[in-house]
Structure formats: C-alpha cells, structure tokens
Amino acid sequence: MKYRSVFDIIGPVMIGPSSSHTAGAARIGRVARDLFNREPKWAHIHLYGSFAKTYRGHGTDVAIIGGLLDFDTFDPRISESLEIANRLGMNIKFFEEDAVTDHPNTARVTIGDDQGTLEIVGISIGGGKIEITELNGFPLRLSGNHPAIIVMHNDRYGAIASITQILAKHEINIGHMEVSRKEIGKEALMVIEVDQNIGEEILQELHKADHILQVARIAE
Amino acid sequence: MFRNVKELVELAEKENIPISEIMIRQEMKISERSREDLMEQMDHNLQVMEKAVEDGLQGVRSHSGLTGGDAVLIQNYMKNHEPLSGYLLLDAVSKAVATNEVNAAMGTICATPTAGSAGCVPGTLFAVKNRLNPTREQMIRYLFTSGAFGYVIANNASISGAAGGCQAEVGSAAGMASAAIVEMAGGTPQQSADAMAITLKNMLGLVCDPVAGLVEVPCVKRNAMGASNAIVAADMALAGVTSRIPCDEVIDAMYKIGQTMPVSLRETALGGLAATPTGKELEAKIYGIPRMGD
C-alpha cells in the first residue's frame, strides 16, 4: 500500500497550489534538510518530467527551497522562500532536465557546505505524498510513513550487528530494514524504519558504533 | 483491512456500521492513535476547509490574475435569480470554486485528495450541510468516508494528474464526495459505492492540461463540475440507480486510461487547453522573460 493513512488522502493542510508540485516538493526538500542536519550553503535542484515542465506555475522551486529551510507544507513563509534563502546567502541553481524518469514528478536535490554534500532523489506520487528513491547514489525506498534512521557505514562484518544491538538495547523495534552497497568492502548504506522516534542520545551512541560513518534520522 | 471498494462495502455490511466507521477503525489500528486523536485531527482539517470556503466567498485573486472572484459572482447570482440547476447544486459549485480560488491564490487549503482537486469534497459538504443539518461529528465522518474511497483509488490507481490525468484528481475527488454525500443522506454503503462509480465513470478520460502550468485554468471550473457531478450521482444512487460496472472495475479502467494517456495531457502544460492559441498567449504574458536561474 503506497498510502497508509486516511490523512494522506484528506490532507495535508498546505499552501497551494499543487499537492504534488508544492507540498510534495517541500517535503522532498525537507527530507534533504533533515538528512543533512544543518542549513546548506548551496543547492542544485534538477527537475524532471512534469516537475521540469511546470515548476514555475506550481511554485515547485519555491517549495523545495522552503523544505531546505525546514518549512512545513503549511508554513506561509514557503511563498517567500527564494528571498529568504537569498538573504541567508544560499546559492541556488535550478536545472530543467529532459531525461525520462520512472516517475513524472522527480527531483534530484544536491546540497552542501564546506563540510560535505548530500544528494537525494525524491518522487512526488500525488496528494503530497513522497518517496525518496536514492541517497548519495544508493537506491532506496523510504516511504516516510515511519520514523527512520539512515546509516552510512563501511561494508565490514559486524557493522550491521553493532547498530541493531544498540536499537535492541533501547527496546526499539525495527519495522523494515534495507542494506545496500556499491562495491564489496566500500561505503554502504542501512535504512531502518522503526516504530518510535529516536532520541538524540541514541543517535550519538549509534554514531560511535564500529564502522559507522554517518547517522541521520527522519522523524515521522 | 480493506484493499478495494468491494471489501470496504462488505466489511461495513457485515458489521452493520457506516463506511466512515470502517475508516476510523482501520486508521486507529494502523496509526496506533486514539479515536479522539483522529477525530481532532480531522476536525482541524475541516476547519481549514471552512476557512478556505469563507475566504473564497469574500473574493480572492491569484498572482497571475487568471482566477478569482467567480465564487462571489455565483453567490450573487443565486441571491438575485432562481438558479436553473437548483440552489443546493449551485451552492456546492460556488464553494468548490471558492476553495480552488484560494488554492490558486496560494492560500491555505486541505488537499482532498490533492490541492488541485481540493474543492469537490468541501464544496459539496458545506452545501449539503445546509440541507441535512448534520452534527459536527457527521461532518467529520463525511471526510472519513471520502477518505476511505480516496484511499482505495490512491492505492489501486492514482490520485496524481501527472500520473493519470485530471480524472485521477478531480475525478477521484468527485467520486469521494458523492460516496460521502450518500452516507450523510442516509444511504447504504453499497449506494455510496454506486455513487462513486457513477461519478468516476463520467469523469473518465479527463485530461490534465493546466494553462501555463498553473493550477487555475481549467482546474477551478473542473472542481465546480466535479462537485455538481457528485451531487447528481449521489441523488441517482439514493434513488436506487446502480452502476452496471462495479466500482473497483471503474477505478481499474481509470488507471489504465491514465497510463495510456499521452504525456502532453498529463500535467505538462504541453497539450490540451494549455496548447491553445489563447493558452499559449496567457503563458507568454504571465512569464514574460523566463525566470530560470534568477
């Protein structure tokens, strides 16, 4: 089931004009911000399909930047997000892409600062609902229905166990888990959907576990 | 758990409870939230819808200037004339238009199921309210019933104009509304399903062709027609008219039509009304110089 909650259908409360192109776009931006865990200094936004053809009319550009500024779908500041980002000195570039993607509403968001960069691909499947299909080149399926932890780690034995042990110790139940890697022994990614929101303390503990490079969470 | 309309209706009939109750119970199970909590959130969504209708009836304008003020015109007409289509129908139309005019003006709305189709459910609700005098709880239930049908469409087909054309947006919204009207008017779960099927059947093939890519022309007026379609279909179902094609098969047909629709007619602003000489002219006027990279 792509849509789990009745509030995916009756909702979200949002600033118009389009749930896919505005609310969904804002949510894609906000997931990127959540994962980056700080305000980016620059952002390159690549838009595909219907996003590329109609983003001006729908305010998709404004909405994604609003998400990067950590605004919710109903935050009235979304309509001024380009000006706000400009004032904050955020360097933004939009690219209209012609490539055909699996989903007609696709955005690739690359953000960064002096300390690092992050790239996600998000699709807006309708009614404000989104899925994240790629993170830093790793394919993934993140429904956004549950709180989730995303862990970049070195592909070594024990790395996964070290994370699941910490979660077990804190009595956190795993609902869904995916592990992917590009090459054996190199950087790998764990996506773990859990039933409870993860506190800052646990996050720090996860961060110190063996072979862990980066940990981020997405709150429900 | 229900996966389609057939299961939804069977569950409601077996337990002898309305569709709204099935949706509430399922949501409680999935989200592990209390009934009060869910009712409160839906009440909040209802308040957002009420406010949007009020604002729209005061008169709003979109930034492009393409839409706004039509809800006021219709209300004024209703005050001074005996509407040919009937007061309730036109009241629903004006309130659907009001909601979408607020949406186009970047006001706050509740997506039902999407922002571009946000007018049908509240438009019909606030018009029918004046006739049926529902309690607050019944109004909240109207939204859960709408949600139950929308949930089936979203999971088995699509509620995205970019994926499936406007039939997936305004078509779905109108179908959801007609099912909810039937429940509020005292019809059976099966009559809700029939109303939904009749409405959606008459929205099949509806393309998504927004002029200049804006959610304005023809979106606002399509919500008006979606709302009126919903009311007429609800009346037909309440009269005992059934859909020859079962609701789930209509949803399936809608999905397949959407998949075979050319990309130019799926929210790309490349075809249909967007590609008419006037549509192109408006687009050029609105954007002037491309805003890319500024």
Side-chain angles (χ1 to χ4, degrees), chain A residues 2-7 9-17 19 21 50 53-55 57-58 61 94 96 105 127, chain B residues 3 27 30 41 45 103 106-109 111 113-115 143 151 154-155 157 160 162 213-215 267-268 287 291-292:
Chain A
K2 290 178 285 183
Y3 295 77
R4 285 180 80 248
S5 167
V6 69
F7 297 109
I9 308 298
I10 310 295
V13 172
M14 56 167 286
I15 306 283
S19 42
H21 295 69
S50 174
K53 300 294 178 209
T54 67
Y55 74 94
H58 286 114
D61 46 355
F94 288 98
E96 284 176 39
N105 287 326
Chain B
R3 281 164 302 178
E27 187 71 21
I30 285 174
Q41 185 176 347
N45 288 358
N103 181 56
M106 287 190 97
T108 305
I109 55 102
T114 70
L143 301 180
Y151 178 88
N155 281 315
S160 152
L214 301 167
V215 193
E267 212 174 347
T268 50
Y287 295 118
R291 234 173 41 161
M292 192 74 182

Side-chain angles (χ1 to χ4, degrees), chain A residues 67-79:
Chain A
L68 289 179
L69 293 171
D70 212 17
F71 299 162
D72 211 329
T73 54
F74 52 81
D75 195 319
R77 289 174 297 176
I78 280 189
S79 58

Side-chain angles (χ1 to χ4, degrees), chain A residues 20-219:
Chain A
S20 289
H21 295 69
T22 319
R27 282 175 165 172
I28 291 172
R30 202 161 184 222
V31 168
R33 165 68 184 253
D34 268 358
L35 293 173
F36 197 56
N37 213 11
R38 56 189 185 273
E39 193 173 272
K41 288 269 170 283
W42 56 266
H44 289 176
I45 321 280
H46 297 259
L47 299 167
Y48 300 83
S50 174
F51 265 4
K53 300 294 178 209
T54 67
Y55 74 94
R56 287 192 206 99
H58 286 114
T60 307
D61 46 355
V62 178
I64 290 183
I65 301 305
L68 289 179
L69 293 171
D70 212 17
F71 299 162
D72 211 329
T73 54
F74 52 81
D75 195 319
R77 289 174 297 176
I78 280 189
S79 58
E80 300 147 35
S81 65
L82 288 178
E83 293 81 10
I84 295 171
N86 199 21
R87 273 205 301 278
L88 292 169
M90 199 188 282
N91 190 347
I92 299 162
K93 283 199 181 101
F94 288 98
F95 304 88
E96 284 176 39
E97 301 290 348
D98 285 328
V100 177
T101 47
D102 290 342
H103 194 277
N105 287 326
T106 301
R108 177 182 294 274
V109 179
T110 314
I111 54 178
D113 61 9
D114 312 339
Q115 296 170 48
T117 63
L118 179 121
E119 182 180 88
I120 67 164
V121 176
I123 59 173
S124 188
I125 64 172
K129 190 119 175 94
I130 63 158
E131 286 174 7
I132 303 300
T133 58
E134 217 181 289
L135 170 67
N136 290 342
F138 288 99
L140 62 103
R141 273 187 86 79
L142 196 58
S143 69
N145 284 326
H146 297 279
I149 328 166
I150 294 185
V151 185
M152 296 289 291
H153 60 104
N154 282 320
D155 183 27
R156 302 273 191 283
Y157 72 86
I160 296 166
S162 67
I163 293 292
T164 53
Q165 270 163 15
I166 292 169
L167 294 177
K169 192 178 78 187
H170 291 278
E171 297 183 349
I172 286 165
N173 190 37
I174 296 174
H176 180 82
M177 180 162 176
E178 265 180 35
V179 183
S180 51
R181 60 189 180 186
K182 287 177 196 161
E183 269 179 75
I184 294 175
K186 296 279 168 60
E187 227 177 35
L189 179 83
M190 268 181 262
V191 181
I192 307 168
E193 283 191 349
V194 290
D195 292 342
Q196 301 98 323
N197 275 324
I198 304 286
E200 191 59 41
E201 257 174 51
I202 303 176
L203 209 65
Q204 291 304 326
E205 201 177 334
L206 292 172
H207 214 279
K208 287 183 204 133
D210 290 345
H211 312 301
I212 303 309
L213 302 169
Q214 196 184 346
V215 184
R217 73 184 147 172
I218 299 179

Side-chain angles (χ1 to χ4, degrees), chain B residues 47-120:
Chain B
Q47 286 169 32
V48 170
M49 293 177 199
E50 261 166 337
K51 174 79 167 53
V53 168
E54 273 169 30
D55 290 351
L57 291 180
Q58 295 290 317
V60 290
R61 282 255 155 232
S62 66
H63 296 308
S64 71
L66 280 183
T67 53
D70 287 352
V72 179
L73 285 179
I74 302 166
Q75 282 286 335
N76 288 342
Y77 167 74
M78 287 159 61
K79 277 182 201 130
N80 305 318
H81 297 80
E82 175 79 20
L84 295 170
S85 56
Y87 187 89
L88 187 147
L89 197 73
L90 218 49
D91 194 32
V93 162
S94 72
K95 287 169 178 166
V97 167
T99 303
N100 286 87
E101 286 182 339
V102 167
N103 181 56
M106 287 190 97
T108 305
I109 55 102
C110 179
T112 51
T114 70
S117 62
C120 298

